Amino acid sequence: MIRLVICLVALLAAPPLAAQEMTKAEEAAYTALWQMSNEALARRGAGDMAGAETLFADVLALVERDLPGEVLTRAAALHNLAGVRADLGRLAEAEAMAREALSIRRAEGGETGAITSTERLLSSILHDLERTEEARAFLDSVVTATLEDPDSDRSRLIEDFAGLAVLTAEAGDTAMAMALLGQLEPLLPDLTAPDAARSFVALGRVQSLAGEPVLAEAAYRESAARSATIPADEPRWTVQDRVNVIGNLASMLLAQGREIEAEPLFRQALAMGDAGGVAPLVRANLLDGLGMALAAGGHLQAAYDAQRAGLDLRLAALPPNHA
């Protein structure tokens, strides 16, 4: 999933000082902050994660240097930098920054949406760190807070609910996960296209964990069919979402010993991400899957090349001081 939930509105919200009380230096700082943040968003959207990371780091440095009293602005900057570092695979750094952002937002009475945004980010990071119970607890908090606050933004409620079902299954309770997804079934006709596609992705994952590969494949195929109808410029259905759908289907076919069908799907998913917008670790997972499909078909050198490329992406994501 794309985990970078940009807090641009929070980051660029009007400062507590009245406009006429702002100094020239503060005005200059906010102008620079706006420009760098927009450039970071553009680079991230173009798949230039490293460029986006550099700019978000500059934003944080600017806030700490020129706007030291703006603690919630600093929290937003920490959140954004944590998100892009997580996408780069620098998960330990990302977790520490996201936790600091969450601590500030909670302590300073941040809005529900800002708090749940960082809880959602932490859930994603912890999931990638294979700390499923912690990840589930944060996403459960997101869903609960969203339902309890009548003024909260509910645009991601279905996505969060489906994600909670997946984490519940990964924590070992597939029956409860299916019960959660069952609550979404009557809503399907009225869901947005991205939410419907995500719901079937979640169903596929849960069915897979429940040991039902045929049902899982059917769910992933339904998600792929719905994904194909979503316009390319739909902001809530990214390139990475599309890539993940194809990769999930390929993985399920591979798990059933159908490597001949899986191989072209892994290649399709990789090609879809060639233009950018896909996190390096997602590409690494696809390359691993392609390698396994090739090895199962007896193409050992090609399998080695694919999995070596995946390993290189993982090694590139390690911090410079990694031993």
Side-chain angles (χ1 to χ4, degrees), residues 83-305:
V84 77
R85 284 188 175 169
D87 274 345
L88 286 166
R90 295 160 62 180
L91 298 174
E93 297 172 65
E95 180 191 355
M97 299 186 86
R99 286 189 182 278
E100 185 178 1
L102 181 60
S103 177
I104 293 170
R105 285 175 161 171
R106 285 174 171 172
E108 297 295 327
E111 294 181 355
T112 299
I115 291 171
T116 56
S117 178
T118 304
E119 289 179 329
R120 185 184 294 111
L121 173 59
L122 270 167
S123 176
S124 176
I125 293 168
L126 291 166
H127 178 258
D128 283 355
L129 288 167
E130 299 183 357
R131 288 154 60 185
T132 304
E133 291 288 356
E134 292 176 80
R136 186 191 182 284
F138 274 115
L139 199 54
D140 183 67
S141 177
V142 171
V143 171
T144 300
T146 303
L147 291 172
E148 289 181 349
D149 185 350
D151 297 322
S152 65
D153 178 6
R154 300 192 176 191
S155 63
R156 298 190 66 176
L157 181 58
I158 299 298
E159 177 184 349
D160 292 334
F161 201 83
L164 181 61
V166 170
L167 289 174
T168 299
E170 291 181 356
D173 194 345
T174 54
M176 176 59 73
M178 287 300 298
L180 289 170
L181 289 176
Q183 296 181 49
L184 295 181
E185 185 175 3
L187 303 177
L188 277 173
D190 300 317
L191 294 183
T192 65
D195 279 341
R198 283 195 183 89
S199 297
F200 280 105
V201 169
L203 178 60
R205 177 62 175 156
V206 173
Q207 293 283 24
S208 174
L209 291 168
E212 298 286 355
V214 175
L215 295 176
E217 179 189 342
Y220 285 141
R221 287 193 183 279
E222 180 64 24
S223 181
R226 290 174 182 257
S227 175
T229 69
I230 300 174
D233 59 354
E234 166 56 57
R236 293 196 59 232
W237 194 248
T238 66
V239 172
Q240 185 158 298
D241 289 320
R242 299 171 195 276
V243 166
N244 279 335
V245 168
I246 302 301
N248 287 336
L249 177 57
S251 295
M252 185 49 52
L253 293 172
L254 183 61
Q256 297 177 70
R258 295 157 63 185
E259 62 273 3
I260 294 177
E261 297 172 75
E263 180 191 337
L265 289 174
F266 281 122
R267 293 189 184 279
Q268 178 186 347
L270 286 163
M272 290 167 67
D274 282 345
V278 176
L281 294 187
V282 172
R283 288 190 65 85
N285 289 337
L286 291 170
L287 287 163
D288 286 347
L290 176 61
M292 287 187 283
L294 290 166
H299 306 291
L300 300 185
Q301 183 59 52
Y304 170 83
D305 292 343

Side-chain angles (χ1 to χ4, degrees), residues 49-64:
M49 301 293 184
E53 189 272 342
T54 297
L55 283 164
F56 279 131
D58 289 344
V59 168
L60 178 60
L62 181 151
V63 172
E64 292 179 334

